[in-house]
Amino acid sequence: MNLFYYPAACSLADHIALIEAGLPYKLLSINREKKTEDGRDFLSINPKGYIPTLEMDDGTILTENQVILAYIAEQSGKLLPNDNILRWRTFEALAFMSSEIHASYNPFFRDFPEPEKDRAREKLKKSFAILADQMGDKAFLVSNELTIADCYLFWVLMVAPRSGVELPENLQNCLDRMKAMPSVIRALKEEGLS
């Protein structure tokens, strides 16, 4: 499989999941002109024009973090709890992080005016508090086992400093623990981030 990515972008979640799942993959970066590392027009692969994008060996294309992460878990039989309600909590956490946190980072990624950044900071503080409550004293967000939600959580927490919002203690501790995980260390190295 080919994972199309930008270094340090949200595709890092999928990269970590692929490593954790033990699935074979090739990383292909995208440049600002929407050309792939192997010379193709990225818009012909994914007309949406953004990452992550996963290309299977047969040419099938998947987009959207939640979908790609679920696909990785499904293909590998890993990174999703066996307990039915915890599986749904994993998907619930993915949706929340995607819609509420990831979307709230836009003012900081695109240098919006300060009043919009202030509104986003308030939303992020509330969202991080919700995640912190969900995590409680567990090792990871949904349970004491790593799930695809934690792969996305790592990226969500990693980019939090851009917003100037301080993370709750248990989320900061989780981020620190995950930074020491072999899969995270490898993904950061493969993306030239360490």
Side-chain angles (χ1 to χ4, degrees), residues 73 77-91 94 140-150:
K78 299 177 182 176
L79 301 172
L80 271 177
N82 290 327
D83 178 273
N84 191 40
I85 195 64
L86 291 181
R87 288 175 74 85
W88 289 112
R89 291 284 181 232
T90 300
F91 292 124
L94 282 171
F140 295 105
L141 189 56
V142 176
S143 71
N144 284 316
E145 301 292 325
L146 184 79
T147 70
I148 52 176
D150 300 298

Side-chain angles (χ1 to χ4, degrees), residues 2-158:
N2 293 322
L3 177 65
F4 295 95
Y5 79 106
Y6 294 119
C10 64
S11 50
L12 180 60
D14 308 277
H15 189 175
I16 293 167
L18 284 165
I19 294 167
E20 281 288 335
L23 295 175
Y25 65 91
K26 181 178 178 183
L27 289 176
L28 291 172
S29 64
I30 308 300
N31 66 24
R32 298 243 182 249
E33 292 76 38
K34 302 290 184 191
K35 294 291 181 197
T36 67
E37 187 176 327
D38 61 359
R40 293 183 281 166
D41 175 14
F42 182 61
L43 293 175
S44 69
I45 298 165
N46 178 0
K48 295 174 186 173
Y50 55 78
I51 49 91
T53 298
L54 189 67
E55 179 183 45
M56 271 64 95
D57 292 337
D58 68 0
T60 301
I61 302 294
L62 286 179
T63 64
E64 307 300 332
N65 246 327
Q66 296 175 60
V67 172
I68 293 171
L69 288 167
Y71 178 81
I72 291 167
E74 179 80 17
Q75 292 300 303
S76 68
K78 299 177 182 176
L79 301 172
L80 271 177
N82 290 327
D83 178 273
N84 191 40
I85 195 64
L86 291 181
R87 288 175 74 85
W88 289 112
R89 291 284 181 232
T90 300
F91 292 124
E92 179 181 55
L94 282 171
F96 179 74
M97 287 186 285
S98 179
S99 65
E100 298 304 312
I101 297 177
H102 192 154
S104 293
Y105 283 142
N106 280 338
F108 308 102
F109 294 156
R110 295 191 170 88
D111 199 27
F112 285 15
E114 201 57 38
E116 291 184 49
K117 290 180 181 179
D118 288 340
R119 281 191 294 279
R121 282 186 194 98
E122 287 307 309
K123 190 171 184 180
L124 285 167
K125 285 178 193 175
K126 290 175 185 173
S127 296
F128 288 140
I130 290 168
L131 288 181
D133 285 347
Q134 180 178 1
M135 179 178 281
D137 61 359
K138 297 185 296 293
F140 295 105
L141 189 56
V142 176
S143 71
N144 284 316
E145 301 292 325
L146 184 79
T147 70
I148 52 176
D150 300 298
C151 297
Y152 196 37
L153 178 66
F154 177 79
W155 178 82
V156 162
L157 299 178
M158 183 188 81

